[in-house]
């Protein structure tokens, strides 16, 4: 297809504003699938995504559209993951397009992710077409939302397209706007091949599938390609596009998007953002902006049943096949036994992996408190990246500790402003900006990530009754007055419960943890001391008094089968306990204690 008849675009939106519904409508209208094949939400391929309503992996679909000017256009629709954890993938997807359709729910208005996405689209020099969706709803206020788009985002909304993705109203106008208002891609068919590696995933039949956007030259079957950042060179064996069904085309030219396979088995060879070139006639320069994705949130994953360790290892391996940004390595904990230390792009990424392990692989897991990566400056001049609070070096050898900060954007109805400001202050936040658009407030705050990874998002949602939206980006590493808080049960440290906290919050948290554990650890035959300590200094203590536990006490008479049942039940309970010194701590106590942070 000639460059002037190609349009590459992304749909960007806050969660639930109707991105997938609009994409489906366009696919339906441009005939990529027949009615029988047209399932709901074809773009979200994983069950779990559909359920959570979150698109994890970017995908792209080629649509053929005959416009009012009589010409046929090749339109490549890029689906982008909406959540901040996948910000880098979003940014690479956007780099593959010339324009964005900005979907805003006309009954909700601009939300935090609307803004975050628009900023990213503008960073990629996108032309943006505002689209107001859900105008079929009685609560839709298109005029108010148009004004909001102009005030808050600063985009001209006078030509915003009004649609209902649900009823199909206005979809042809969106297609025409894409043809008329978005620029065609630029590229040189005769130049050395340069293509952007937008995404990759593992397919059990095809091996690694690579999603690409060709910038110059072409990619075709039989050609030996080289991935410049990873250095790997492979012969291309398939080239095609998704309509959304996979359709082999044999070649992709400049401006086009599609997929290739090349007998690649290991997804770590294909780095999102890498430049693909011709191995025979390689390009001298890479496309701009490549950066490998680095995990920023870490936690331990342990099987509740130690016998499941191998199964957990296999399952993690399978997930990592498809997700190059997920890292794991074996770890041993005195409290929890054998497990893995895992690295994630963010909290949501962590939750998704955890949920897939439990659901798809049928694992029962204990997750330790998530931790960020601290930079520990040692007195010998070295700097350690600390992923696990349990590995904190002796404080006498530490010069300073730095922690990551983020810049958060929060949008909310102003009646909740007071409590949300309080929450941000409690979490050591620094206000940068506070503005109003109608009855909604927009707050920009700097916050330490370690205060956000615990339960910030849950708290925010509950304080604002679900009306606040939240997004963040990386800011910087800063020195912090941080200490390791350890928990001891009868003088034995419980590594899985140690955390790194700000000194000012350490006593409160230590006391709360001790009180909670006192409730959670069942009484035993002897007295148990539960202590919280910073270094060797104990800052909180609770005592669990002794009790003789006799499960048969309630059993009068001689019904032996009933007695046996009770004894079996007790045995079952013991299996799920961890031995601490002599204290038995039930699994549920760990889980509850980890959750309370
Ligand atoms: P994520 O994939 O979670 O980011 O959401 P999304 O932006 O793709 O939204 P999705 O298309 O899943 O739509 C969210 C909800 O809004 C669904 O329940 C849709 O049925 C509904 N919806 C989408 N468009 C319209 C519309 O035009 N009118 C009405 N009334 N509902 C709509």
């Amino acid at each position: 297809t000639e460059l002037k008849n190609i349009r590459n675009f992304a749909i960007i939106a806050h969660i639930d504003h109707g991105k997938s519904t609009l994409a489906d409508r366009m696919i339906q209208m441009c005939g990529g699938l027949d009615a029988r094949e047209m399932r709901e939400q074809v773009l979200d391929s994983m069950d779990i995504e559909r359920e959570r309503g979150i698109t994890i992996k970017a995908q792209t679909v080629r649509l053929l559209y005959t416009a009012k000017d009589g010409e046929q256009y090749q339109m490549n629709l890029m689906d982008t993951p909406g959540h901040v954890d996948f910000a880098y993938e979003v940014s690479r997807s956007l780099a593959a397009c010339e324009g964005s359709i900005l979907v805003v729910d006309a009954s909700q208005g601009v939300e935090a992710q609307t803004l975050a996405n628009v900023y990213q689209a503008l960073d990629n020099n996108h032309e943006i077409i505002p689209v107001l969706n859900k105008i079929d709803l009685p609560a839709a206020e298109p005029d108010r939302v148009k004004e909001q788009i102009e005030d808050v985002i600063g985009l001209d909304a006078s030509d915003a397209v009004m649609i209902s993705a649900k009823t199909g109203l206005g979809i042809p106008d969106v297609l025409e706007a894409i043809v008329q208002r978005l620029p065609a891609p630029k590229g040189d068919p005769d130049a050395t091949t340069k293509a952007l590696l937008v995404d990759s995933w593992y397919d059990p039949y095809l091996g690694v599938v690579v999603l690409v956007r060709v910038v110059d030259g072409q990619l075709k079957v039989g050609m030996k390609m080289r991935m410049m950042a990873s250095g790997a060179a492979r012969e291309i064996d398939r080239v095609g596009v998704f309509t959304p069904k996979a359709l082999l085309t044999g070649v992709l030219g400049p401006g086009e998007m599609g997929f290739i396979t090349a007998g690649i088995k290991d997804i770590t060879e294909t780095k999102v953002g890498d430049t693909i070139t011709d191995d025979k006639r390689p390009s001298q320069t890479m496309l701009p902006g490549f950066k490998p994705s680095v995990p920023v949130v870490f936690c331990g994953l342990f099987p509740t049943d130690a016998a499941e360790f191998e199964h957990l290892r296999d399952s993690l391996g399978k997930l990592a096949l498809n997700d190059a940004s997920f890292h794991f390595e074996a770890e041993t904990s005195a409290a929890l036994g054998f497990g893995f230390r895992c690295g994630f792009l963010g909290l949501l990424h962590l939750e998704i992996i955890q949920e897939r392990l439990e659901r798809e692989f049928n694992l029962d897991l204990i997750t330790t408190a998530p931790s960020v990566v601290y930079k520990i400056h040692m007195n010998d001049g070295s700097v350690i990246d600390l992923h696990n609070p349990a590995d904190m070096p002796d404080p006498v050898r530490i010069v300073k500790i730095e922690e990551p900060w983020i810049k958060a954007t929060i949008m909310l109805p102003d009646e909740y402003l007071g409590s949300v400001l309080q929450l941000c202050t409690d979490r050591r936040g620094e206000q940068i900006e506070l503005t109003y658009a109608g009855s909604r407030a927009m707050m920009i705050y700097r916050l330490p990530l370690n205060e956000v990874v615990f339960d910030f998002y849950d708290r925010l949602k509950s304080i604002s009754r679900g009306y606040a939206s939240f997004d963040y980006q990386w800011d910087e590493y800063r020195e912090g007055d941080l200490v390791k808080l350890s928990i001891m049960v009868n003088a034995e440290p419980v590594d899985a419960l140690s955390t790194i906290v700000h000194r000012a919050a350490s006593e409160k948290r230590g006391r709360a943890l001790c009180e909670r554990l006192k409730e959670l650890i069942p009484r035993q035959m002897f007295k148990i001391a539960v202590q919280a300590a910073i270094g060797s200094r104990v800052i909180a203590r609770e005592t669990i008094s002794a009790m003789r536990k006799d499960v048969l006490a309630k059993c009068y008479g001689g019904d032996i089968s009933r007695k046996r049942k009770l004894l079996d039940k007790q045995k079952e309970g013991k299996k799920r306990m961890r031995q601490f010194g002599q204290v038995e701590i039930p699994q549920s106590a760990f889980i509850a204690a980890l959750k309370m942070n």
Side-chain angles (χ1 to χ4, degrees), residues 333-363:
S333 150
L336 302 173
F338 293 104
F340 295 91
R341 192 83 198 155
C342 302
F344 307 90
L345 296 178
L347 267 192
L348 182 90
H349 189 207
L350 185 163
E351 268 178 47
I352 289 169
I353 298 261
Q354 189 188 349
E355 203 170 308
R356 291 187 63 185
L357 286 167
E358 291 182 347
R359 223 200 297 203
E360 293 168 34
F361 297 94
N362 214 357
L363 282 156

Side-chain angles (χ1 to χ4, degrees), residues 14-21 41 53-55 133-134 136-137 164-166:
H14 188 75
I15 273 185
D16 282 346
H17 283 199
K19 189 175 70 169
S20 307
T21 313
Q41 309 226 332
I54 293 163
T55 310
N133 188 29
K134 307 198 188 181
D136 59 295
L137 290 178
S164 164
K166 189 171 169 186

Side-chain angles (χ1 to χ4, degrees), residues 48 147 150 154 178 227-228 232 234 240 251 264 293 364 424 501 525 578 595:
I48 190 160
E147 222 171 277
E150 299 194 335
I178 293 169
M227 290 165 280
M228 296 178 75
R234 299 275 174 179
V251 61
I264 305 169
S293 59
D364 202 6
C424 289
V501 293
M525 315 272 254
R578 298 273 174 186
K595 277 209 174 121

